[in-house]
Amino acid sequence: MAIGKRLLVNKPAEESFYASPMYDFLYPFRPVGNQWLPEYIIFVCAVILRCTIGLGPYSGKGSPPLYGDFEAQRHWMEITQHLPLSKWYWYDLQYWGLDYPPLTAFHSYLLGLIGSFFNPSWFALEKSRGFESPDNGLKTYMRSTVIISDILFYFPAVIYFTKWLGRYRNQSPIGQSIAASAILFQPSLMLIDHGHFQYNSVMLGLTAYAINNLLDEYYAMAAVCFVLSICFKQMALYYAPIFFAYLLSRSLLFPKFNIARLTVIAFATLATFAIIFAPLYFLGGGLKNIHQCIHRIFPFARGIFEDKVANFWCVTNVFVKYKERFTIQQLQLYSLIATVIGFLPAMIMTLLHPKKHLLPYVLIACSMSFFLFSFQVHEKTILIPLLPITLLYSSTDWNVLSLVSWINNVALFTLWPLLKKDGLHLQYAVSFLLSNWLIGNFSFITPRFLPKSLTPGPSISSINSDYRRRSLLPYNVVWKSFIIGTYIAMGFYHFLDQFVAPPSKYPDLWVLLNCAVGFICFSIFWLWSYYKIFTSGSKSMKDL
Amino acid sequence: MKGDRSRQNMAVTKKAKLKKNDEPKKVLKTAATEKGEGSKRYSLWNFWISTLFLKLLLIPDYFSTDFDVHRNWLAITNKLPISEWYYEHTSQWTLDYPPFFAYFEWFLSQFVPKSVRDDGCLDIVEIGKFGLPTIVFQRLTVIFSEILLFVILQIYINTTKLSERSQSFVVASSIVLSPGFLIIDHIHFQYNGFLFAILIGSIVAAKNKRYILCAVLYTTAICFKHIFLYLAPCYFVFLLRAYVLNVNNFKFKSYKDFLFLIRWANLLKLATVVVGIFTICFLPFAHQMPQVLSRLFPFSRGLTHAYWAPNFWALYSFMDKILTTVMLKLPYVHTFATKFIKPPLIPQNIKEINERLAANNNGSKGLVQDVFFVILPQIPPKLTFILTIFYQVLAVLPLLFDPSFKRFVGSLTLCGLASFLFGWHVHEKAIMLVIIPFTFLVGFDRRLLVPFMLVASAGYVSLYPLLYKGQDFFIKTLYTYVWCIIYFAAFRKTTKISSSVERRIFFLDRLALTYIFSLLPIVTVLQILDEVKWRYSFLQKFEFLGLMIYSVYCSLGIISSWFALSWLYNFDELLWQ
């Protein structure tokens, strides 16, 4: 009885990934004295995995004259090294002109400073364009900066989040570690940052820090972290309505009117913005420079969407040719209206019910609205709604975990055209298989031809030999059928993409098929997040 | 409408209740099962899957010239008749492994798909020209051939008695996850996982007292890669004593009783399988044996490999450089030394030292085929053989009196150490020949753990210069570091507490730990120095200083481990009972 009770107490918290390979690997560290070790091991394994993904090609490799995102980042390090601050946002805008907020520019400046110490020719003004060193020295350095940025910003924030939740729920430390590893091994962010080449982990890590501060009720610090996130990449604005509503609600309504808190939050926000933009003003030539910066950050002169992306405008463009029917200004207005309508319920709900356990869901609903309906969305932007989605791997609800796992696979699927262009086929396949295998999604596969001693199953954990973990699929038959259908559709797409040439009249047909599948899945998931918002109001963090 | 909703709610509630009722049953089932120790499977399956993903991601990584070596061997065995395999020399990467490995390459070449063939994989050319298809194919052959390692170690686990299974699982998993195999096989490029699997098979057979199988597998291993010959004295004495000689029942009455000392049937069986395997291996090359042997044993190479393996001769070379520098700067030291050591053992004067330096130009170089010593005496191959054999005899003698598995593995480890420390032209990769047997030994006593930790950490770090590119720094360093953390803790947990009355020497244990923990900052500093050496002219003068530091520091660790293990092996009686 005592044993049973103890198991009952512990089991629900660890039920999430029970009998998965992840659980099996971390099982030996359950004893209390080993608490620090699994986190350390997960940390190191996540870094090693990112390093190996980084061995592949990067965006724009060997593709003159403009190359790709790798060259863009390198170029920004180049111009911030050699030009005065007053020229950063003006210099040769046709060649990867700087179009990110100042914190990214400062980040590039710092990295360029360190890199020039190792080899100045990597960042020589103009002469280093398209630099591809034969010994891969530049690539190695650049890859290292992404990894270190990831380690400093994203890893600690994620680990803190899972620890906070674990303590709140009296979850076993091993359960916390398993959740942290599921989040850190999410493939999309790894492939875009360490394969394609970007620094999204800094922006996402800062946002995660902001969420952690909201959980700890350090509202001013949350505001600071979120502003830093926006100042690193303007895409973090996808979360802004929720942060605004939550902080406002906590200051004015819940638990009571608190003008001091509101004042402090407002001051922290304005002060952080001021500190970030001050160098542009005082060292860069005043308001003119700030105006140019903002103009570069928000390029409204471009079209409603760029390339193919799994959002509303791109998919419906098959039926309605927006460019032919409407002006750019009209499209901007329509997308703004659609986006606001999309996130308004979540914002209102946050204002009226600023609950901590609803934070991931309202952030999902809001950022997914921006992704689906906003102006000038890129396929990589899916990483922004994916942050709160992936944090839900810390949930203990089987249905939630199932949908999180599924939508992560869908997101990775929608990134395939981009990764294919980069030449990251191997990394795409391996990270998809690895991330799903670790959380037990392939446990239903049992090679029968192997001797019993070699058959898959737990190595170390004391689990019944006959126990076969179910794949992460919802209990509901309709959901299950739909998800399996989407997996079949994705498999069919990859078959077409590999073996069948698209019709010459419609060369982008397969890519559009990819976008359509993604859009359907994202839309349904978005609606599901609203369902969770409106049905979880009375629950608590324990029920995340 | 309201009625419908309430009905749905009731249905949902019922389902929820049913689910709740189901859960306790599952929990109870698992609770009941968890009590049984036998429910642990100790399967290496998950380890294989996870490392498979890692190895696939390493496919586009750097590889060494060994990659073209094996590509060339694929081409030779595929395109040419057997009679020409050991004569072909269009490429400098001539076939110099025993015939079984040549057969293996031939076997692999049968699977080369058309796209890889068109890529130039099977072309016999002076310098290999190939692209991604060849790289993917060859990387996959390493990954799949390594499956043999997992299978044999799984058999090792399954044939261990239940009370020791967790320990054997730690041993097996530490080998399959070894940083050595990751670095040498899946990045640098070799087939050690596959080859060591055969050797490990013979060790497992010895443990299970299946001596014929042990002999078969060891002989096969030699025919695949002749480096395993270094362990031959140990196998010979072990099989002789455990399988051929009948010492227990021997009683002397007359001289003809010596005939019964030997189990003739066993001797005949053993000789048959050993000779049989050698025959299968070399018979097709019967008319080319001189050529084959000259390929297998090229004695024209220098004392140390291009990169100093961290062995005794590395320290010897280092000492020579130190003495050279000291004597050049402080002439009276030379004057003082000549009072005790007369020329020609030592150079006559400073002028002669400078002449020797100028003649061999080895003041700053480390990359030469022939090492020439300025102050200390030259080392002929004969001396290295004498030293190696001497220490191997010391390691093998106790086996004559106690042919237990424990003694066998201890002897194996010391034979490997002797050949590594004193052998001629030792490669740094040969350290695996020490670490693998030691892994089977370390579980027997807690005091073996510190020597093992020393040789494992120093040995793996000494492999780092093989991957000199910066892109691998995080991978090799973090992987090795986390492996050491996990498995040193795991071995500590699963090894037996010492049964000896002698107390542990805590000071040396702490010194060893200090040494091990110092490896990480040393590696990091050396990597940074390597990255910035282009901009400091004085660093360029000492371009092989980093390699020297690796070599000397790691050799200190390995030699210390050898001292400790030798002491325990020769003087600690209780440990081996």
Side-chain angles (χ1 to χ4, degrees):
Chain A
M1 286 299 290
I3 293 176
K5 283 186 177 178
R6 198 186 311 157
L7 288 172
L8 276 171
V9 170
N10 289 330
K11 198 57 62 179
E14 294 182 2
E15 181 68 31
S16 322
F17 300 106
Y18 183 73
S20 67
M22 189 90 77
Y23 177 88
D24 192 46
F25 287 135
L26 295 175
Y27 184 86
F29 306 104
R30 291 181 314 151
V32 177
N34 291 340
Q35 287 322 301
W36 67 273
L37 200 51
E39 270 166 39
Y40 174 80
I41 290 164
I42 290 163
F43 188 96
V44 171
C45 290
V47 174
I48 290 173
L49 187 54
R50 283 157 169 75
C51 290
T52 51
I53 287 175
L55 296 172
Y58 48 79
S59 157
K61 181 177 184 181
S63 305
L66 284 182
Y67 303 92
D69 277 349
F70 180 93
E71 171 63 10
Q73 301 287 343
R74 192 210 57 77
H75 181 64
W76 298 344
M77 296 178 192
E78 171 193 323
I79 62 178
T80 54
Q81 281 305 296
H82 293 281
L83 299 179
L85 216 154
S86 56
K87 289 189 164 60
W88 285 5
Y89 284 95
W90 303 85
Y91 180 78
D92 194 354
L93 301 178
Q94 294 307 309
Y95 188 84
W96 296 117
L98 186 53
D99 56 4
Y100 276 173
L103 199 53
T104 284
F106 299 147
H107 182 246
S108 294
Y109 175 78
L110 176 65
L111 298 182
L113 201 63
I114 298 172
S116 294
F117 171 76
F118 286 108
N119 193 334
S121 66
W122 291 343
F123 307 109
L125 189 62
E126 291 201 23
K127 293 176 198 150
S128 59
R129 288 191 179 183
F131 190 96
E132 289 180 354
S133 57
D135 66 348
N136 272 335
L138 171 63
K139 179 191 178 189
T140 299
Y141 173 72
M142 299 281 279
R143 293 293 198 201
S144 302
T145 60
V146 183
I147 290 165
I148 292 172
S149 299
D150 212 336
I151 289 171
L152 291 180
F153 289 95
Y154 189 66
F155 282 35
V158 166
I159 291 174
Y160 185 87
F161 179 85
T162 55
K163 273 173 108 50
W164 191 95
L165 266 185
R167 281 198 306 269
Y168 188 92
R169 296 189 294 206
N170 290 320
Q171 189 176 15
S172 71
I174 207 64
Q176 299 168 30
S177 299
I178 292 173
S181 53
I183 296 169
L184 290 178
F185 283 105
Q186 182 241 71
S188 299
L189 179 61
M190 288 195 296
L191 288 171
I192 295 298
D193 274 16
H194 302 276
H196 177 79
F197 200 92
Q198 282 196 340
Y199 292 94
N200 295 292
S201 57
V202 177
M203 179 258 295
L204 297 176
L206 288 167
T207 301
Y209 277 123
I211 294 171
N212 291 338
N213 279 295
L214 290 183
L215 297 179
D216 279 330
E217 300 179 16
Y218 298 143
Y219 299 119
M221 188 55 64
V224 170
C225 290
F226 184 59
V227 168
L228 290 176
S229 183
I230 295 172
C231 289
F232 190 85
K233 265 196 168 184
Q234 65 271 32
M235 250 71 81
L237 285 169
Y238 281 23
Y239 306 122
I242 298 302
F243 274 92
F244 173 79
Y246 189 92
L247 292 171
L248 186 68
S249 185
R250 284 287 175 181
S251 300
L252 300 184
L253 303 174
F254 296 90
K256 61 182 171 60
F257 184 78
N258 189 333
I259 191 63
R261 175 182 291 173
L262 179 64
T263 305
V264 171
I265 292 172
F267 177 80
T269 303
L270 296 176
T272 309
F273 271 118
I275 291 170
I276 296 294
F277 280 88
L280 265 63
Y281 183 86
F282 293 109
L283 302 176
L287 272 178
K288 183 179 172 188
N289 208 26
I290 292 182
H291 181 266
Q292 170 71 357
C293 170
I294 295 176
H295 178 73
R296 292 288 303 159
I297 289 172
F298 300 107
F300 289 112
R302 293 205 250 176
I304 185 72
F305 60 85
E306 194 167 303
D307 265 343
K308 307 304 179 191
V309 59
N311 84 340
F312 175 82
W313 306 109
C314 176
V315 171
T316 56
N317 191 62
V318 174
F319 313 106
V320 183
K321 302 302 180 184
Y322 293 109
K323 287 182 182 176
E324 299 170 8
R325 289 203 186 188
F326 306 103
T327 66
I328 290 180
Q329 288 73 28
Q330 283 176 314
L331 289 175
Q332 288 176 16
L333 180 63
Y334 298 157
S335 68
L336 177 62
I337 293 174
T339 305
V340 171
I341 292 175
F343 71 69
L344 202 57
M347 188 177 182
I348 293 174
M349 176 58 89
T350 306
L351 273 173
L352 301 182
H353 288 285
K355 302 293 187 182
K356 291 178 182 176
H357 68 280
L358 287 181
L359 267 175
Y361 295 106
V362 289
L363 287 169
I364 293 169
C366 181
S367 53
M368 191 64 87
S369 299
F370 274 91
F371 179 80
L372 292 174
F373 302 109
S374 183
F375 192 79
Q376 184 63 206
V377 172
H378 295 249
E379 69 277 75
K380 288 166 280 187
T381 314
I382 190 60
L383 293 176
I384 295 172
L386 269 191
L387 172 70
I389 291 171
T390 308
L391 291 180
L392 286 176
Y393 269 132
S394 48
S395 173
T396 55
D397 185 331
W398 183 268
N399 288 320
V400 170
L401 290 170
S402 304
L403 291 181
V404 167
S405 167
W406 165 63
I407 208 65
N408 261 291
N409 288 332
V410 176
L412 182 63
F413 169 76
T414 62
L415 294 171
W416 163 248
L418 175 75
L419 299 172
K420 179 187 179 185
K421 196 184 307 176
D422 292 342
L424 293 163
H425 314 72
L426 173 69
Q427 289 77 14
Y428 171 85
V430 170
S431 57
F432 165 79
L433 293 171
L434 174 61
S435 59
N436 281 276
W437 175 76
L438 278 173
I439 60 180
N441 274 344
F442 292 118
S443 296
F444 64 94
I445 300 174
T446 306
R448 299 295 178 182
F449 53 87
L450 292 175
K452 185 175 182 182
S453 59
L454 296 180
T455 52
S459 305
I460 315 164
S461 48
S462 302
I463 297 173
N464 192 321
S465 302
D466 297 323
Y467 182 87
R468 199 64 68 207
R469 174 190 163 84
R470 300 175 55 243
S471 274
L472 271 169
L473 289 172
Y475 294 121
N476 182 279
V477 172
V478 176
W479 262 118
K480 188 182 294 188
S481 304
F482 174 74
I483 288 175
I484 293 176
T486 62
Y487 281 130
I488 293 173
M490 288 187 259
F492 183 64
Y493 164 84
H494 276 298
F495 174 83
L496 291 178
D497 193 54
Q498 185 70 30
F499 299 109
V500 182
S504 56
K505 190 177 179 183
Y506 304 106
D508 290 329
L509 188 60
W510 296 161
V511 179
L512 282 175
L513 178 61
N514 179 298
C515 295
V517 172
F519 172 70
I520 292 170
C521 298
F522 291 147
S523 301
I524 290 180
F525 186 84
W526 174 59
L527 294 175
W528 172 83
S529 69
Y530 267 119
Y531 165 83
K532 291 294 291 186
I533 291 169
F534 289 113
T535 60
S536 304
S538 60
K539 297 184 177 177
S540 73
M541 214 66 186
K542 287 185 165 65
D543 305 306
L544 181 72
Chain B
M1 290 296 289
K2 288 185 177 180
D4 290 339
R5 286 181 184 171
S6 62
R7 286 179 195 170
Q8 288 179 0
N9 289 336
M10 290 177 62
V12 171
T13 306
K14 285 184 178 178
K15 290 183 179 177
K17 287 181 177 177
L18 289 175
K19 289 179 182 176
K20 288 182 180 178
N21 290 336
D22 287 339
E23 286 177 7
K25 293 181 180 178
K26 283 187 180 179
V27 173
L28 289 176
K29 283 185 178 179
T30 51
T33 309
E34 276 181 311
K35 294 179 179 177
E37 176 73 13
S39 65
K40 288 184 179 176
R41 195 191 293 251
Y42 297 112
S43 167
L44 295 173
W45 174 263
N46 280 350
F47 287 78
W48 180 68
I49 297 285
S50 56
T51 55
L52 174 64
F53 291 133
L54 180 60
K55 294 162 190 169
L56 289 172
L57 288 174
L58 291 170
I59 284 179
D61 198 3
Y62 154 88
F63 49 79
S64 71
T65 52
D66 274 337
F67 188 93
D68 199 29
V69 169
H70 290 286
R71 186 209 61 77
N72 191 50
W73 295 359
L74 277 179
I76 289 173
T77 55
N78 183 265
K79 289 285 182 64
L80 300 180
I82 273 186
S83 55
E84 296 182 30
W85 285 3
Y86 284 94
Y87 287 93
E88 156 63 37
H89 63 281
T90 302
S91 167
Q92 61 172 320
W93 312 126
T94 54
L95 180 56
D96 58 7
Y97 270 29
F100 269 4
F101 197 84
Y103 299 153
F104 174 68
E105 293 278 9
W106 175 87
F107 174 79
L108 294 179
S109 72
Q110 305 307 303
F111 297 94
V112 175
K114 186 178 188 305
S115 58
V116 177
R117 185 183 299 261
D118 294 343
D119 186 49
C121 178
L122 297 179
D123 296 345
I124 302 179
V125 290
E126 191 170 335
I127 298 178
K129 294 184 174 66
F130 51 85
L132 189 60
T134 298
I135 294 170
V136 172
F137 174 78
Q138 295 227 113
R139 292 285 200 196
L140 289 180
T141 59
V142 176
I143 293 171
F144 282 109
S145 62
E146 202 188 46
I147 290 175
L148 183 63
L149 181 66
F150 285 84
V151 171
I152 288 181
L153 286 168
Q154 186 67 64
I155 292 172
Y156 166 68
I157 296 171
N158 295 344
T159 55
T160 306
K161 46 183 176 177
L162 285 179
S163 61
E164 295 175 359
R165 197 157 286 191
S166 67
Q167 183 188 91
S168 60
F169 176 74
V170 171
V171 168
S173 60
S174 73
I175 292 176
V176 298
L177 297 178
S178 166
F181 289 136
L182 188 88
I183 291 172
I184 304 176
D185 283 9
H186 300 286
I187 301 180
H188 181 79
F189 197 85
Q190 276 193 353
Y191 290 87
N192 290 292
F194 169 74
L195 297 173
F196 271 90
I198 305 172
L199 180 75
I200 290 169
S202 71
I203 295 176
V204 173
K207 183 179 199 302
N208 297 330
K209 300 188 193 297
R210 302 182 62 187
Y211 299 116
I212 290 292
L213 181 59
C214 174
V216 167
L217 290 174
Y218 176 66
T219 311
T220 303
I222 293 177
C223 292
F224 267 96
K225 188 170 185 181
H226 48 314
I227 195 175
F228 297 129
L229 272 175
Y230 284 133
L231 307 175
C234 181
Y235 273 91
F236 179 83
V237 173
F238 174 71
L239 291 172
L240 176 74
R241 181 66 177 76
Y243 188 64
V244 172
L245 296 187
N246 184 11
V247 174
N248 295 332
N249 297 330
F250 179 72
K251 292 179 180 178
F252 177 77
K253 294 175 182 176
S254 68
Y255 283 110
K256 71 177 179 182
D257 284 332
F258 278 114
L259 291 177
F260 299 103
L261 186 62
I262 299 173
R263 298 190 180 105
W264 294 101
N266 287 358
L267 175 61
L268 198 59
K269 277 191 276 183
L270 195 60
T272 302
V273 299
V274 172
V275 173
I277 290 173
F278 275 119
T279 303
I280 293 171
C281 179
F282 287 99
L283 190 56
F285 306 91
H287 301 296
Q288 311 156 35
M289 284 307 289
Q291 173 68 6
V292 172
L293 290 180
S294 70
R295 285 288 181 87
L296 297 187
F297 303 102
F299 292 113
S300 59
R301 294 181 185 173
L303 173 67
T304 55
H305 193 43
Y307 156 70
W308 293 356
N311 63 358
F312 180 80
W313 305 121
L315 282 187
Y316 191 86
S317 300
F318 181 66
M319 189 57 59
D320 186 70
K321 290 187 186 307
I322 294 292
L323 288 176
T324 301
T325 306
V326 169
M327 289 187 177
L328 285 178
K329 292 185 180 301
L330 307 171
Y332 61 86
V333 171
H334 173 265
T335 306
F336 181 79
T338 52
K339 293 182 179 179
F340 304 95
I341 307 170
K342 298 301 181 183
L345 281 184
I346 198 170
Q348 183 72 43
N349 48 39
I350 303 300
K351 182 181 176 185
E352 187 172 343
I353 293 177
N354 283 315
E355 285 173 358
R356 291 192 181 185
L357 278 174
N360 298 279
N361 193 25
N362 67 342
S364 61
K365 289 187 176 180
L367 295 178
V368 289
Q369 285 300 304
D370 289 302
V371 178
F372 185 82
F373 300 113
V374 176
I375 306 294
L376 298 177
Q378 309 306 316
I379 304 296
K382 187 179 300 182
L383 179 57
T384 64
F385 293 137
I386 291 173
L387 284 171
T388 302
I389 291 173
F390 173 74
Y391 285 113
Q392 288 196 338
V393 167
L394 285 187
V396 159
L397 277 179
L399 257 186
L400 280 175
F401 307 103
D402 176 19
S404 67
F405 175 70
K406 194 186 295 187
R407 275 288 186 191
F408 170 62
V409 178
S411 180
L412 265 187
T413 307
L414 285 172
C415 280
L417 271 165
S419 61
F420 182 82
L421 291 174
F422 300 104
W424 179 263
H425 197 82
V426 171
H427 288 228
E428 65 276 50
K429 304 161 202 164
I431 194 62
M432 296 298 289
L433 214 57
V434 177
I435 296 175
I436 298 299
F438 211 155
T439 309
F440 287 93
L441 179 65
V442 66
F444 288 117
D445 196 279
R446 181 68 63 84
R447 278 174 304 153
L448 291 166
L449 183 56
V450 170
F452 174 77
M453 289 164 64
L454 278 170
V455 80
S457 51
Y460 290 141
V461 167
S462 72
L463 301 174
Y464 283 8
L466 290 174
L467 311 179
Y468 55 90
K469 288 189 178 283
Q471 68 197 35
D472 292 316
F473 175 74
F474 280 130
I475 296 171
K476 66 190 186 189
T477 306
L478 291 177
Y479 188 94
T480 305
Y481 198 43
V482 76
W483 182 93
C484 289
I485 294 283
I486 293 175
Y487 281 104
F488 291 169
F491 278 120
R492 184 176 300 278
K493 189 174 294 185
T494 56
T495 52
K496 299 171 183 174
I497 303 293
S498 172
S499 58
S500 172
V501 296
E502 298 181 35
R503 301 175 59 198
R504 295 204 299 169
I505 308 174
F506 293 100
F507 173 77
L508 291 185
D509 278 5
R510 292 201 179 92
L511 186 62
L513 288 181
T514 303
Y515 171 92
I516 293 170
F517 280 116
S518 299
L519 286 166
L520 189 63
I522 287 176
V523 166
T524 305
V525 169
L526 289 178
Q527 185 71 29
I528 293 176
L529 285 179
D530 192 56
E531 297 295 339
V532 303
K533 67 184 178 186
W534 63 270
R535 64 187 299 160
Y536 296 113
S537 57
F538 74 92
L539 282 180
Q540 291 179 24
K541 292 181 179 177
F542 304 99
E543 55 180 326
F544 296 106
L545 178 66
L547 293 179
M548 183 189 295
I549 292 175
Y550 269 112
S551 184
V552 171
Y553 194 74
C554 293
S555 62
L556 287 176
I558 294 170
I559 291 174
S560 301
S561 173
W562 178 56
F563 283 155
L565 182 58
S566 297
W567 175 272
L568 293 173
Y569 185 77
N570 289 294
F571 299 109
D572 190 321
E573 300 174 19
L574 292 176
L575 193 155
W576 306 99
Q577 293 177 1

